[in-house]
Amino acid sequence: MRRNRINNSLTSRRKVAKVLSFMAFFSLLVACSTTSAIPDGEHLYTGMEKTKYSNYQPNQHFNDVKGELDVVLATKPNASWMGSPSVRSPFPVGLWIWNAFSQDTTSFSRWLVRAFGSTPVLMNSTAPDLHVTVGENLLRKRGYFNGKITYEKLAQRNPKKMRLQYSVDMGRLWLLDSIRYVNFPPTADSLIRANLDKAIIHKGDAFDVSTLEQERKRITDLFRNNGYYYYQNNDASYLADTTLTYGLASMRLQMADSVSNRVLRKWDIGTITINLQRQFMDSLSRQSRFRDIIVNYNGSHKPLRLRTITNDLKIWPGTVYNNELVEKTQQQLNSSGVFAATNFAFTPRDTTDTCSILDMTINCVFDKPYDFYIEAYGKGKTSGRYGPEAIVGLTKRNVFRGGEKFDLRLHGSYEWSASSDDDGRDRLGLNNYEYGAEASLQFPRLVNPFATPPRKRWAREERKIAAAAEKGLVYVPKVPRTYYTTPSTTLKASVDVLNRAKYFKRHVVSGELTYQWQPNERNSYSFSPLTLTYEYMHNVTDRYLELIDSVPYLEVSLADQFIPKMLFQYTFMSPARYKSPIKVWTTVSEASNILSAGYAAFGRHWSEKDKKLFKNPFAQFVKIDANMTKVWSLSEKSSVAAHVNVGTLWAYGNSRFAPYTEQFYVGGANSIRAFNVRQIGPGRYRSTQRRRSYVEQTGDIKFQCNVEYRPHLVGSLYGALFLDAGNVWTMHYDDGRPEGYFRFKNVLKEMALGTGVGIRYDLGYFMLRLDWGVGLHVPYETGKTGFYNISKFKDAQAFHLAIGLPF
């Protein structure tokens, strides 16, 4: 009893000490002033009140102008919260330090202010008059010619603090009454009229300078993409008549009278000269020519095969100049990974007034041939394991002088366990590791050993041209096929060793051949005619044998086997200009069906089990995985996104169960975020051994749907409110997991449901994401009735830190 009283007394003293410490810290914060060192007559600017808008008609144009005005009028105060001009952090540490030490002349105080202090933003430095001038100029440019902006300085309870509030009287919005294109030559005028359906400005639109400039830029692009190389934006200008009707403007886009004749002339591409340089100022001494394409280089042979460049050419000798195709050519050459820089130049073939031929020169400077990289990570798994991971790689460019890229990477990871076994008797120890190597060779083209070589194709075309000329006919060669991005062929081989503590050591050897191509902006394809994987157990433990005794399907799905697989993926994407885009991608893969057909041709029955390849059984299955994502834009930066994922995996013929690596699962940062990876399913099944549940909870059928509201909060900070649902099921009845069998009538009842909130911080090149998921319903039995059947609230939560959006 005495010992208990002593312990209680010590606990009480600790609590009192904590309370006193907190009160002292709070008193110190309160005592810190943000205005003590502000000179008399000056005021600390503490932010803006919400801007008042009046005399306007609500529409999209007003919303756009309002958004721009909010940026123009904004001035951030000290300790601005996420870049907001109105909200400040409750702890302006920098201001506290500046006020406390700025007037102290000691070296330490000067260093403290310089390193951690924040110079106060004074009201006099906010220059509201300048913001008003810029804002009213913006109103006039956007069609509000009578708009007025005023401001008011708002005194605060502290006489040394002050806030700002702007008031905007939008005034009348002037509209376009008519639009005409005048003084253009007949050919150019016909081109304009043929493309009027793409016009950006129309009768009744706002008299918006930025929109008018976009239309003038559209006309410039139209001309330059149809042969008018020398045409520029300032060759045409606007004339506006606002005297006919108040509030309306009659517009004319008129070509200048003083333009030169070459501006009005269409130009064709003549000879193309390609300079291959190691350095920018290299003097090239050797030359090779094929038809109207000349290659200049140094060395005993060309450092790059001609077809590697011509595969990326979108414009050819004899074609009409097209600025868009020139830009796409340069973009693809720059993205090939071979060149550090490229430059295009065009020169008239002669100086006569009738010349209409442009000779084209492409200067290409090679990038460094080698890249060496090291990546290091710290990772944590839902199974309670943590550890480091490292990747070391070497990249060689232009391996065979055809733009090929060879990549060799070594990787390794190590894990330790922070928890005990299911029986609680011992720890798993420091025995989990994984290491391996991967080599890949990528060709910047579709490699087809049966295709006719380019030189033979050209020779064939020349014979057809000559034969047609003898008959008095004109043969037009077929234009080479072009792609939206450079297609590629990839050969890859890898070997991995996986050691799982006190369970098994598994080796995985694989190789694949993959073709990727994108014919246009919307559609892209990937085809792997052969992906060969060999998985085998190097050794297993008694614990693993006990596990497969209790979960029989694991013995089959983790058995030694070959997986000769074929895979095809199709992706549809809305064009980048769409406000509410959609993306659909579907993957279809199969394994060993051609091989089984070969066995059947020699008398082995299709459904016969344990047929072998190289003395090991091979997996046989068909897998379909389909996804769709749709985004609805609610404003410039806020949106609602929906995602649906459906998958099915059917093992048959030589296999009873599909390989474990091919099976579906739900949960995790990109799935049902209220649960961790493999924490749900299949069906209503729940493992009795929670330490190994992540091994068992996979399935052959998957359905998942997500809805997420993504509001813009402030600055680069975004929020999220989401609802996720889904599960996996087994296609074949499994004695070890009887409640996981798929029955269509039970799908809705067996869906796991979760909600949650999240925040995203946009760093520009990637987005950092933190989601907090909360479970609402689980498909398995918990002892509770009703829709919300989570036994404990703490068991229905999951946090996920990830990079990028979930879908």
Side-chain angles (χ1 to χ4, degrees), residues 432-489:
N432 278 18
Y433 58 83
E434 179 178 342
Y435 62 89
E438 177 183 286
S440 65
L441 180 62
Q442 184 181 80
F443 300 85
R445 58 189 177 276
L446 298 178
V447 176
N448 180 5
F450 305 104
T452 305
R455 287 187 177 274
K456 289 186 177 180
R457 289 202 305 268
W458 276 109
R460 184 185 302 166
E461 294 293 327
E462 287 179 337
R463 288 196 297 270
K464 291 180 179 180
I465 293 172
E470 291 179 357
K471 299 177 181 179
L473 303 175
V474 177
Y475 175 78
V476 179
K478 183 184 296 185
V479 178
R481 185 175 183 179
T482 59
Y483 296 88
Y484 185 73
T485 58
T486 303
S488 66
T489 302

Side-chain angles (χ1 to χ4, degrees), residues 57-68:
Q57 292 182 350
N59 52 41
Q60 187 59 45
H61 183 70
F62 165 74
N63 293 335
D64 294 341
V65 176
K66 177 179 177 297
E68 293 182 24

Side-chain angles (χ1 to χ4, degrees), residues 283-438:
S283 178
L284 306 178
S285 58
R286 302 201 62 182
Q287 185 177 96
S288 173
R289 181 164 188 155
F290 178 68
R291 299 175 64 90
D292 290 327
I293 299 178
I294 300 173
V295 180
N296 296 318
Y297 59 95
N298 285 327
S300 58
H301 54 259
K302 289 194 295 291
L304 190 68
R305 291 188 175 90
L306 178 61
R307 71 172 180 179
T308 303
I309 298 179
T310 57
N311 285 341
D312 289 331
L313 286 181
K314 307 296 182 183
I315 192 166
W316 293 81
T319 60
V320 176
Y321 173 82
N322 186 312
N323 188 68
E324 182 180 5
L325 296 182
V326 170
E327 291 179 350
K328 286 184 177 180
T329 299
Q330 187 169 19
Q331 180 182 1
Q332 291 206 193
L333 288 174
N334 288 336
S335 63
S336 66
V338 177
F339 303 113
T342 59
N343 173 263
F344 286 63
F346 297 89
T347 308
R349 178 157 295 180
D350 56 59
T351 57
T352 63
D353 291 338
T354 58
C355 177
S356 61
I357 302 296
L358 286 174
D359 289 330
M360 174 177 167
T361 301
I362 307 176
N363 297 308
C364 302
V365 181
F366 284 99
D367 201 351
K368 295 179 180 179
Y370 290 96
D371 270 344
F372 178 74
Y373 57 91
I374 300 176
E375 302 174 13
Y377 305 93
K379 65 178 182 178
K381 295 184 177 180
T382 57
S383 56
R385 302 179 187 277
Y386 306 88
E389 179 178 6
I391 298 174
V392 179
L394 177 68
T395 300
K396 173 69 168 71
R397 299 185 179 90
N398 199 26
V399 181
F400 305 119
R401 297 186 296 113
E404 302 86 359
K405 182 172 70 174
F406 177 75
D407 188 72
L408 176 64
R409 47 192 285 149
L410 308 176
H411 66 87
S413 63
Y414 199 71
E415 297 177 352
W416 62 81
S417 173
S419 57
S420 61
D421 265 335
D422 292 324
D423 55 14
R425 291 180 301 178
D426 59 352
R427 304 182 68 83
L428 293 181
L430 304 175
N431 294 321
N432 278 18
Y433 58 83
E434 179 178 342
Y435 62 89
E438 177 183 286

